[in-house]
Amino acid sequence: MARSKLKKSLRTARFFSLVGVITLFVCLSLSQLVSSTKLTPAIAEIVSAGLVIIGWVGMWRPIESLLYDWWPIREQRLIFDKISNLDVEVIGAKTSKATGT
């Protein structure tokens, strides 16, 4: 179950990365387009900088997913792997003739 959860987390992180890269590409392209228009230089600079910021903020979650989100799941999986390799001894309870149990 932990392996499945880890695979799903990494698959989601890859999807987030694709969406983030596309968002960054579109925002940086629009920023260049705005910079080359005949808008007032101050307005063009503000809009251009805003688009760059939006593009990088769009990469925030994908980067977080790829760098940090999978570590707790991996640690859990390692613990489960260690537990699954432990030797287990089952000891039955003694029954008492006096109580009938």
Side-chain angles (χ1 to χ4, degrees):
M1 200 156 123
R3 279 189 187 98
S4 174
K5 191 175 181 181
L6 180 60
K7 285 180 184 179
K8 183 178 178 186
S9 176
L10 292 174
R11 189 177 329 119
T12 302
R14 286 190 299 267
F15 176 74
F16 285 165
S17 296
L18 177 65
V19 171
V21 167
I22 290 170
T23 301
L24 180 62
F25 176 77
V26 168
C27 287
L28 291 178
S29 297
L30 289 173
S31 173
Q32 291 294 318
L33 183 68
V34 168
S35 293
S36 66
T37 61
K38 299 200 187 275
L39 290 173
T40 307
I43 293 174
E45 187 175 336
I46 291 170
V47 172
S48 178
L51 287 166
V52 170
I53 291 169
I54 291 169
W56 285 110
V57 168
M59 286 296 295
W60 188 299
R61 180 68 179 131
I63 291 170
E64 183 180 21
S65 292
L66 288 171
L67 293 179
Y68 302 113
D69 285 355
W70 62 275
W71 282 99
I73 300 168
R74 180 182 174 274
E75 290 298 319
Q76 186 181 39
R77 193 193 88 199
L78 292 174
I79 290 169
F80 289 156
D81 285 344
K82 285 180 183 178
I83 291 172
S84 71
N85 291 326
L86 291 176
D87 291 330
V88 177
E89 183 179 340
V90 179
I91 301 173
K94 293 183 180 181
T95 59
S96 172
K97 292 182 184 182
T99 61
T101 54

